[in-house]
Amino acid sequence: MAGSGASDDEIVLEIEHCIRIFKSGLVERYFGSDPVPPSTDADTGVASKDHTISPDVAVRLYLPPVAAESGEEKKLPILVYFHGGGFVLHTAFNFVFHAYLTSVAARARAIIVSVDYRLAPEHPLPAAYDDSWQALAWVASHAPGGSGEEPWLTGHGDFSRLSLGGESAGGNIAHNLAMRAGAEGLPHGARISGGIVLVHPYFLGHGKVPSEDSDPVMAENVVKMWRAVCPKTTGVDDPWINPLAAGAPAIEGLACRRVLMCLAETDVCRDRGRAYCEGLRASGWAGEVEMLEVAGQAHCFHLGNFACDDAVRQDDAIARFLNL
């Protein structure tokens, strides 16, 4: 448990078995904060290592075994991945994400760069967005002509297949970074040429949607969480949490031409994800949207058992997307 709170301190947000946030600023986290070291996985051969980009930002890289084809080493697609946890939980270095991304790297035969960003409420938004952008810029510095020196990226990475992705809050980050890349560009001419993978993304909006009936308490908590992580927000129609809000940057400015949206039937955010796809298609954006919805599963089900049939189906879709 990270942090502690006095019993007479008002609780701003409590999600059972996950987190308590107090009005005083104290935070109690019940899981997700303990790191595991990088390693080489005995079953898959996927190697991992860590790199510190700045005092606030670090990444864990995953590299599957690299095979030579016709005497030439094949370059691998690159996925820059942002973990979820409502902007308040987890580290890129914990057991859950280490095991999951090792599995994805093996299945997709892709290099994965998993970003560790600062958490709210200690570091309110836009800290997570700014940290994630810094990590993406670091990855982009390894594109041809760049100054990056990480050999896994310069030696094995295919920058013609660079993608962003994440689940929950990480999907939100992937969207917002793709929008920023559309407005500002990336260093060294790098492009999000592969696309973005949005897994059960954390989006909100005004009005009720049917998927929120699947868990009314959680539907209320995700709104409370947004206000806790972004105290200066205008509310659930803030463009950071509702890409389709009036006054949000035009979504056709998304800096990619492919989107994979993964949804879960009983996720309270499901219908926001569906609306995102519909809005993107209707916007004039010149790209392709693929949507995969898994029946009978809840938000981020795959992190609890990424070997189950539904999780494998979802990860197979991600692997195909990264390799196109």
Short mmCIF file of all heavy atoms in Angstrom, two decimals, residues 12-66:
data_model
loop_
_atom_site.label_atom_id
_atom_site.label_comp_id
_atom_site.label_asym_id
_atom_site.label_seq_id
_atom_site.Cartn_x
_atom_site.Cartn_y
_atom_site.Cartn_z
N VAL A 12 -12.22 11.39 -1.44
CA VAL A 12 -12.69 11.94 -2.71
C VAL A 12 -13.09 10.82 -3.66
O VAL A 12 -14.08 10.93 -4.39
CB VAL A 12 -11.58 12.81 -3.35
CG1 VAL A 12 -12.00 13.31 -4.72
CG2 VAL A 12 -11.23 13.98 -2.44
N LEU A 13 -12.33 9.74 -3.65
CA LEU A 13 -12.60 8.60 -4.53
C LEU A 13 -12.16 7.33 -3.84
O LEU A 13 -11.06 7.26 -3.29
CB LEU A 13 -11.84 8.75 -5.86
CG LEU A 13 -11.93 7.55 -6.81
CD1 LEU A 13 -13.34 7.43 -7.40
CD2 LEU A 13 -10.90 7.67 -7.95
N GLU A 14 -13.03 6.32 -3.87
CA GLU A 14 -12.66 5.00 -3.37
C GLU A 14 -13.17 3.94 -4.32
O GLU A 14 -14.37 3.89 -4.62
CB GLU A 14 -13.22 4.75 -1.97
CG GLU A 14 -12.85 3.39 -1.43
CD GLU A 14 -13.24 3.19 0.03
OE1 GLU A 14 -14.05 4.00 0.54
OE2 GLU A 14 -12.74 2.24 0.65
N ILE A 15 -12.28 3.11 -4.82
CA ILE A 15 -12.64 1.95 -5.62
C ILE A 15 -12.13 0.74 -4.84
O ILE A 15 -10.92 0.60 -4.61
CB ILE A 15 -12.03 2.02 -7.03
CG1 ILE A 15 -12.54 3.26 -7.75
CG2 ILE A 15 -12.37 0.76 -7.82
CD1 ILE A 15 -11.96 3.45 -9.14
N GLU A 16 -13.06 -0.09 -4.43
CA GLU A 16 -12.75 -1.18 -3.51
C GLU A 16 -11.62 -2.06 -4.04
O GLU A 16 -11.60 -2.44 -5.21
CB GLU A 16 -14.01 -2.03 -3.29
CG GLU A 16 -13.87 -3.03 -2.15
CD GLU A 16 -15.18 -3.76 -1.87
OE1 GLU A 16 -16.14 -3.59 -2.65
OE2 GLU A 16 -15.23 -4.50 -0.88
N HIS A 17 -10.69 -2.35 -3.15
CA HIS A 17 -9.53 -3.19 -3.43
C HIS A 17 -8.54 -2.56 -4.41
O HIS A 17 -7.58 -3.21 -4.82
CB HIS A 17 -9.94 -4.57 -3.97
CG HIS A 17 -10.93 -5.29 -3.12
ND1 HIS A 17 -10.74 -5.51 -1.77
CD2 HIS A 17 -12.15 -5.82 -3.43
CE1 HIS A 17 -11.78 -6.17 -1.28
NE2 HIS A 17 -12.65 -6.36 -2.26
N CYS A 18 -8.78 -1.30 -4.79
CA CYS A 18 -7.89 -0.65 -5.76
C CYS A 18 -7.21 0.58 -5.16
O CYS A 18 -5.98 0.61 -5.05
CB CYS A 18 -8.67 -0.24 -7.01
SG CYS A 18 -9.28 -1.60 -8.00
N ILE A 19 -7.99 1.58 -4.79
CA ILE A 19 -7.40 2.87 -4.42
C ILE A 19 -8.35 3.68 -3.56
O ILE A 19 -9.58 3.55 -3.67
CB ILE A 19 -7.03 3.67 -5.70
CG1 ILE A 19 -6.14 4.88 -5.36
CG2 ILE A 19 -8.27 4.08 -6.49
CD1 ILE A 19 -5.51 5.53 -6.58
N ARG A 20 -7.77 4.51 -2.69
CA ARG A 20 -8.48 5.57 -1.99
C ARG A 20 -7.71 6.86 -2.21
O ARG A 20 -6.49 6.89 -2.05
CB ARG A 20 -8.54 5.32 -0.49
CG ARG A 20 -9.68 4.49 0.01
CD ARG A 20 -9.64 4.46 1.52
NE ARG A 20 -10.59 3.53 2.08
CZ ARG A 20 -10.52 3.06 3.31
NH1 ARG A 20 -9.53 3.45 4.11
NH2 ARG A 20 -11.42 2.22 3.76
N ILE A 21 -8.45 7.91 -2.57
CA ILE A 21 -7.85 9.24 -2.70
C ILE A 21 -8.57 10.16 -1.72
O ILE A 21 -9.81 10.23 -1.69
CB ILE A 21 -8.00 9.78 -4.14
CG1 ILE A 21 -7.29 8.86 -5.13
CG2 ILE A 21 -7.44 11.21 -4.24
CD1 ILE A 21 -7.50 9.25 -6.59
N PHE A 22 -7.78 10.86 -0.89
CA PHE A 22 -8.32 11.73 0.14
C PHE A 22 -8.22 13.19 -0.29
O PHE A 22 -7.36 13.57 -1.08
CB PHE A 22 -7.56 11.53 1.45
CG PHE A 22 -7.71 10.16 2.04
CD1 PHE A 22 -6.90 9.12 1.63
CD2 PHE A 22 -8.68 9.91 3.00
CE1 PHE A 22 -7.03 7.85 2.16
CE2 PHE A 22 -8.82 8.64 3.54
CZ PHE A 22 -8.01 7.61 3.13
N LYS A 23 -9.12 13.99 0.25
CA LYS A 23 -9.16 15.41 -0.10
C LYS A 23 -7.85 16.10 0.24
O LYS A 23 -7.43 17.05 -0.44
CB LYS A 23 -10.31 16.08 0.65
CG LYS A 23 -10.60 17.51 0.19
CD LYS A 23 -11.86 18.06 0.84
CE LYS A 23 -12.17 19.46 0.32
NZ LYS A 23 -13.42 19.99 0.94
N SER A 24 -7.15 15.61 1.27
CA SER A 24 -5.88 16.21 1.67
C SER A 24 -4.77 15.98 0.65
O SER A 24 -3.72 16.60 0.73
CB SER A 24 -5.43 15.60 3.00
OG SER A 24 -5.13 14.23 2.83
N GLY A 25 -5.00 15.05 -0.28
CA GLY A 25 -3.98 14.71 -1.26
C GLY A 25 -3.31 13.38 -0.99
O GLY A 25 -2.56 12.87 -1.83
N LEU A 26 -3.56 12.80 0.17
CA LEU A 26 -3.01 11.49 0.47
C LEU A 26 -3.68 10.43 -0.40
O LEU A 26 -4.86 10.53 -0.74
CB LEU A 26 -3.19 11.16 1.94
CG LEU A 26 -2.40 12.02 2.92
CD1 LEU A 26 -2.81 11.71 4.35
CD2 LEU A 26 -0.90 11.80 2.74
N VAL A 27 -2.90 9.39 -0.73
CA VAL A 27 -3.38 8.33 -1.62
C VAL A 27 -3.02 6.98 -1.02
O VAL A 27 -1.91 6.79 -0.51
CB VAL A 27 -2.74 8.45 -3.02
CG1 VAL A 27 -3.29 7.36 -3.94
CG2 VAL A 27 -3.00 9.82 -3.62
N GLU A 28 -3.96 6.05 -1.05
CA GLU A 28 -3.70 4.66 -0.70
C GLU A 28 -3.92 3.81 -1.95
O GLU A 28 -5.03 3.77 -2.49
CB GLU A 28 -4.64 4.19 0.41
CG GLU A 28 -4.41 4.90 1.75
CD GLU A 28 -5.39 4.45 2.82
OE1 GLU A 28 -6.39 3.78 2.46
OE2 GLU A 28 -5.17 4.76 4.00
N ARG A 29 -2.87 3.15 -2.40
CA ARG A 29 -2.97 2.24 -3.54
C ARG A 29 -2.77 0.82 -3.02
O ARG A 29 -1.83 0.56 -2.27
CB ARG A 29 -1.90 2.57 -4.59
CG ARG A 29 -2.10 3.92 -5.27
CD ARG A 29 -1.05 4.18 -6.35
NE ARG A 29 -1.35 5.41 -7.08
CZ ARG A 29 -0.89 6.61 -6.74
NH1 ARG A 29 -0.08 6.75 -5.68
NH2 ARG A 29 -1.23 7.67 -7.45
N TYR A 30 -3.62 -0.10 -3.47
CA TYR A 30 -3.61 -1.44 -2.92
C TYR A 30 -2.94 -2.47 -3.82
O TYR A 30 -2.76 -3.61 -3.41
CB TYR A 30 -5.03 -1.87 -2.58
CG TYR A 30 -5.67 -0.95 -1.56
CD1 TYR A 30 -6.71 -0.10 -1.91
CD2 TYR A 30 -5.20 -0.90 -0.26
CE1 TYR A 30 -7.27 0.76 -0.99
CE2 TYR A 30 -5.75 -0.04 0.68
CZ TYR A 30 -6.79 0.78 0.30
OH TYR A 30 -7.34 1.65 1.22
N PHE A 31 -2.60 -2.11 -5.03
CA PHE A 31 -1.86 -3.03 -5.90
C PHE A 31 -1.29 -2.24 -7.07
O PHE A 31 -1.65 -1.09 -7.30
CB PHE A 31 -2.75 -4.16 -6.42
CG PHE A 31 -3.77 -3.71 -7.43
CD1 PHE A 31 -3.50 -3.74 -8.79
CD2 PHE A 31 -5.01 -3.24 -7.03
CE1 PHE A 31 -4.44 -3.32 -9.72
CE2 PHE A 31 -5.96 -2.82 -7.95
CZ PHE A 31 -5.66 -2.86 -9.30
N GLY A 32 -0.38 -2.88 -7.79
CA GLY A 32 0.11 -2.33 -9.05
C GLY A 32 1.36 -1.49 -8.96
O GLY A 32 1.89 -1.06 -9.98
N SER A 33 1.85 -1.25 -7.72
CA SER A 33 2.99 -0.33 -7.57
C SER A 33 4.33 -1.04 -7.46
O SER A 33 5.38 -0.38 -7.50
CB SER A 33 2.79 0.55 -6.33
OG SER A 33 1.61 1.31 -6.44
N ASP A 34 4.34 -2.36 -7.30
CA ASP A 34 5.59 -3.10 -7.07
C ASP A 34 6.22 -3.54 -8.39
O ASP A 34 5.59 -4.26 -9.17
CB ASP A 34 5.33 -4.33 -6.20
CG ASP A 34 4.84 -3.94 -4.80
OD1 ASP A 34 5.27 -2.88 -4.31
OD2 ASP A 34 4.04 -4.69 -4.22
N PRO A 35 7.46 -3.13 -8.64
CA PRO A 35 8.09 -3.49 -9.91
C PRO A 35 8.70 -4.89 -9.88
O PRO A 35 9.01 -5.44 -8.83
CB PRO A 35 9.20 -2.44 -10.04
CG PRO A 35 9.57 -2.12 -8.61
CD PRO A 35 8.29 -2.22 -7.83
N VAL A 36 8.84 -5.46 -11.06
CA VAL A 36 9.63 -6.68 -11.24
C VAL A 36 10.77 -6.33 -12.20
O VAL A 36 10.62 -5.43 -13.04
CB VAL A 36 8.79 -7.85 -11.80
CG1 VAL A 36 7.71 -8.24 -10.82
CG2 VAL A 36 8.19 -7.50 -13.16
N PRO A 37 11.90 -6.99 -12.09
CA PRO A 37 13.04 -6.62 -12.94
C PRO A 37 12.85 -7.08 -14.37
O PRO A 37 12.10 -8.03 -14.65
CB PRO A 37 14.22 -7.36 -12.28
CG PRO A 37 13.58 -8.53 -11.60
CD PRO A 37 12.24 -8.06 -11.13
N PRO A 38 13.54 -6.42 -15.33
CA PRO A 38 13.55 -6.93 -16.70
C PRO A 38 14.25 -8.27 -16.74
O PRO A 38 15.01 -8.63 -15.83
CB PRO A 38 14.32 -5.86 -17.46
CG PRO A 38 15.17 -5.18 -16.43
CD PRO A 38 14.40 -5.23 -15.15
N SER A 39 13.98 -9.04 -17.79
CA SER A 39 14.52 -10.40 -17.84
C SER A 39 14.42 -10.92 -19.27
O SER A 39 13.91 -10.24 -20.16
CB SER A 39 13.71 -11.31 -16.91
OG SER A 39 12.34 -11.33 -17.29
N THR A 40 14.88 -12.14 -19.46
CA THR A 40 14.61 -12.87 -20.70
C THR A 40 13.68 -14.01 -20.35
O THR A 40 13.99 -14.84 -19.49
CB THR A 40 15.90 -13.41 -21.33
OG1 THR A 40 16.75 -12.31 -21.69
CG2 THR A 40 15.59 -14.23 -22.58
N ASP A 41 12.51 -14.03 -20.99
CA ASP A 41 11.49 -15.02 -20.67
C ASP A 41 11.89 -16.39 -21.19
O ASP A 41 12.19 -16.56 -22.38
CB ASP A 41 10.16 -14.58 -21.29
CG ASP A 41 9.03 -15.51 -20.94
OD1 ASP A 41 8.67 -15.57 -19.75
OD2 ASP A 41 8.50 -16.18 -21.85
N ALA A 42 11.87 -17.37 -20.30
CA ALA A 42 12.34 -18.71 -20.66
C ALA A 42 11.45 -19.37 -21.69
O ALA A 42 11.93 -20.16 -22.53
CB ALA A 42 12.43 -19.57 -19.40
N ASP A 43 10.16 -19.09 -21.67
CA ASP A 43 9.23 -19.77 -22.57
C ASP A 43 9.22 -19.18 -23.98
O ASP A 43 9.12 -19.91 -24.97
CB ASP A 43 7.81 -19.71 -22.00
CG ASP A 43 7.66 -20.53 -20.73
OD1 ASP A 43 8.39 -21.53 -20.58
OD2 ASP A 43 6.82 -20.17 -19.89
N THR A 44 9.32 -17.86 -24.08
CA THR A 44 9.17 -17.19 -25.38
C THR A 44 10.48 -16.66 -25.94
O THR A 44 10.56 -16.36 -27.13
CB THR A 44 8.19 -16.01 -25.27
OG1 THR A 44 8.74 -15.04 -24.37
CG2 THR A 44 6.83 -16.47 -24.75
N GLY A 45 11.49 -16.50 -25.09
CA GLY A 45 12.74 -15.90 -25.54
C GLY A 45 12.68 -14.39 -25.64
O GLY A 45 13.66 -13.75 -26.07
N VAL A 46 11.55 -13.77 -25.25
CA VAL A 46 11.44 -12.31 -25.30
C VAL A 46 12.33 -11.71 -24.21
O VAL A 46 12.26 -12.09 -23.04
CB VAL A 46 9.98 -11.86 -25.08
CG1 VAL A 46 9.89 -10.34 -24.91
CG2 VAL A 46 9.12 -12.31 -26.26
N ALA A 47 13.20 -10.79 -24.62
CA ALA A 47 14.09 -10.10 -23.69
C ALA A 47 13.50 -8.74 -23.35
O ALA A 47 12.77 -8.14 -24.16
CB ALA A 47 15.48 -9.93 -24.30
N SER A 48 13.81 -8.24 -22.16
CA SER A 48 13.36 -6.90 -21.79
C SER A 48 14.49 -6.16 -21.09
O SER A 48 15.40 -6.77 -20.51
CB SER A 48 12.12 -6.97 -20.89
OG SER A 48 12.36 -7.74 -19.73
N LYS A 49 14.44 -4.84 -21.17
CA LYS A 49 15.40 -3.99 -20.47
C LYS A 49 14.78 -2.63 -20.26
O LYS A 49 13.82 -2.24 -20.95
CB LYS A 49 16.72 -3.88 -21.22
CG LYS A 49 16.66 -3.17 -22.56
CD LYS A 49 18.06 -3.09 -23.18
CE LYS A 49 18.05 -2.54 -24.58
NZ LYS A 49 19.40 -2.46 -25.17
N ASP A 50 15.33 -1.87 -19.30
CA ASP A 50 14.77 -0.57 -18.95
C ASP A 50 15.70 0.55 -19.39
O ASP A 50 16.93 0.38 -19.48
CB ASP A 50 14.57 -0.47 -17.43
CG ASP A 50 13.56 -1.47 -16.91
OD1 ASP A 50 12.75 -1.97 -17.71
OD2 ASP A 50 13.58 -1.76 -15.69
N HIS A 51 15.07 1.70 -19.68
CA HIS A 51 15.83 2.89 -20.04
C HIS A 51 15.18 4.11 -19.40
O HIS A 51 13.96 4.28 -19.48
CB HIS A 51 15.86 3.07 -21.56
CG HIS A 51 16.60 4.30 -22.01
ND1 HIS A 51 17.98 4.34 -22.14
CD2 HIS A 51 16.16 5.55 -22.32
CE1 HIS A 51 18.34 5.56 -22.52
NE2 HIS A 51 17.26 6.31 -22.63
N THR A 52 16.01 4.94 -18.76
CA THR A 52 15.52 6.17 -18.16
C THR A 52 15.70 7.31 -19.15
O THR A 52 16.81 7.58 -19.62
CB THR A 52 16.27 6.49 -16.86
OG1 THR A 52 16.05 5.42 -15.93
CG2 THR A 52 15.78 7.79 -16.24
N ILE A 53 14.60 7.98 -19.48
CA ILE A 53 14.62 9.08 -20.45
C ILE A 53 14.87 10.41 -19.75
O ILE A 53 15.60 11.27 -20.24
CB ILE A 53 13.30 9.11 -21.24
CG1 ILE A 53 13.18 7.82 -22.07
CG2 ILE A 53 13.23 10.34 -22.15
CD1 ILE A 53 11.83 7.64 -22.75
N SER A 54 14.25 10.59 -18.59
CA SER A 54 14.38 11.82 -17.80
C SER A 54 14.07 11.45 -16.36
O SER A 54 13.66 10.31 -16.08
CB SER A 54 13.40 12.89 -18.31
OG SER A 54 12.08 12.57 -17.91
N PRO A 55 14.23 12.38 -15.41
CA PRO A 55 13.87 12.06 -14.02
C PRO A 55 12.42 11.62 -13.84
O PRO A 55 12.10 10.92 -12.88
CB PRO A 55 14.14 13.37 -13.28
CG PRO A 55 15.20 14.04 -14.09
CD PRO A 55 14.89 13.70 -15.52
N ASP A 56 11.55 12.00 -14.77
CA ASP A 56 10.12 11.67 -14.64
C ASP A 56 9.66 10.53 -15.52
O ASP A 56 8.57 10.01 -15.32
CB ASP A 56 9.27 12.91 -14.99
CG ASP A 56 9.45 14.05 -14.01
OD1 ASP A 56 9.65 13.78 -12.81
OD2 ASP A 56 9.41 15.21 -14.45
N VAL A 57 10.45 10.14 -16.49
CA VAL A 57 9.97 9.22 -17.53
C VAL A 57 10.98 8.10 -17.76
O VAL A 57 12.17 8.35 -17.93
CB VAL A 57 9.73 9.97 -18.86
CG1 VAL A 57 9.11 9.02 -19.89
CG2 VAL A 57 8.85 11.19 -18.66
N ALA A 58 10.46 6.88 -17.79
CA ALA A 58 11.28 5.72 -18.11
C ALA A 58 10.45 4.77 -18.97
O ALA A 58 9.23 4.89 -19.06
CB ALA A 58 11.77 5.03 -16.84
N VAL A 59 11.13 3.83 -19.59
CA VAL A 59 10.44 2.85 -20.44
C VAL A 59 11.02 1.47 -20.19
O VAL A 59 12.17 1.32 -19.75
CB VAL A 59 10.56 3.18 -21.95
CG1 VAL A 59 9.83 4.47 -22.28
CG2 VAL A 59 12.02 3.26 -22.39
N ARG A 60 10.22 0.46 -20.45
CA ARG A 60 10.70 -0.92 -20.52
C ARG A 60 10.53 -1.38 -21.96
O ARG A 60 9.43 -1.29 -22.52
CB ARG A 60 9.97 -1.83 -19.56
CG ARG A 60 10.39 -3.32 -19.69
CD ARG A 60 10.02 -4.14 -18.46
NE ARG A 60 10.83 -3.71 -17.30
CZ ARG A 60 10.71 -4.24 -16.09
NH1 ARG A 60 9.84 -5.22 -15.86
NH2 ARG A 60 11.46 -3.81 -15.09
N LEU A 61 11.59 -1.86 -22.57
CA LEU A 61 11.57 -2.35 -23.94
C LEU A 61 11.50 -3.87 -23.94
O LEU A 61 12.13 -4.53 -23.10
CB LEU A 61 12.82 -1.90 -24.71
CG LEU A 61 13.01 -0.40 -24.90
CD1 LEU A 61 13.96 0.15 -23.84
CD2 LEU A 61 13.54 -0.09 -26.29
N TYR A 62 10.74 -4.40 -24.92
CA TYR A 62 10.61 -5.85 -25.10
C TYR A 62 11.03 -6.19 -26.52
O TYR A 62 10.56 -5.56 -27.49
CB TYR A 62 9.16 -6.29 -24.88
CG TYR A 62 8.64 -6.04 -23.49
CD1 TYR A 62 8.12 -4.79 -23.14
CD2 TYR A 62 8.66 -7.03 -22.51
CE1 TYR A 62 7.65 -4.55 -21.85
CE2 TYR A 62 8.19 -6.79 -21.22
CZ TYR A 62 7.68 -5.54 -20.91
OH TYR A 62 7.22 -5.31 -19.64
N LEU A 63 11.89 -7.19 -26.64
CA LEU A 63 12.40 -7.60 -27.94
C LEU A 63 12.24 -9.11 -28.09
O LEU A 63 12.84 -9.88 -27.34
CB LEU A 63 13.88 -7.23 -28.08
CG LEU A 63 14.56 -7.64 -29.39
CD1 LEU A 63 14.03 -6.80 -30.55
CD2 LEU A 63 16.09 -7.49 -29.29
N PRO A 64 11.43 -9.57 -29.07
CA PRO A 64 11.33 -11.01 -29.30
C PRO A 64 12.57 -11.52 -30.00
O PRO A 64 13.36 -10.73 -30.54
CB PRO A 64 10.09 -11.12 -30.21
CG PRO A 64 10.05 -9.82 -30.93
CD PRO A 64 10.59 -8.79 -29.98
N PRO A 65 12.78 -12.83 -30.01
CA PRO A 65 13.93 -13.37 -30.74
C PRO A 65 13.90 -12.90 -32.20
O PRO A 65 12.86 -12.94 -32.84
CB PRO A 65 13.74 -14.89 -30.64
CG PRO A 65 12.89 -15.08 -29.43
CD PRO A 65 11.98 -13.89 -29.37
N VAL A 66 15.03 -12.44 -32.67
CA VAL A 66 15.11 -11.88 -34.03
C VAL A 66 15.68 -12.95 -34.95
O VAL A 66 16.80 -13.42 -34.78
CB VAL A 66 16.00 -10.62 -34.05
CG1 VAL A 66 16.07 -10.06 -35.46
CG2 VAL A 66 15.45 -9.57 -33.08
#
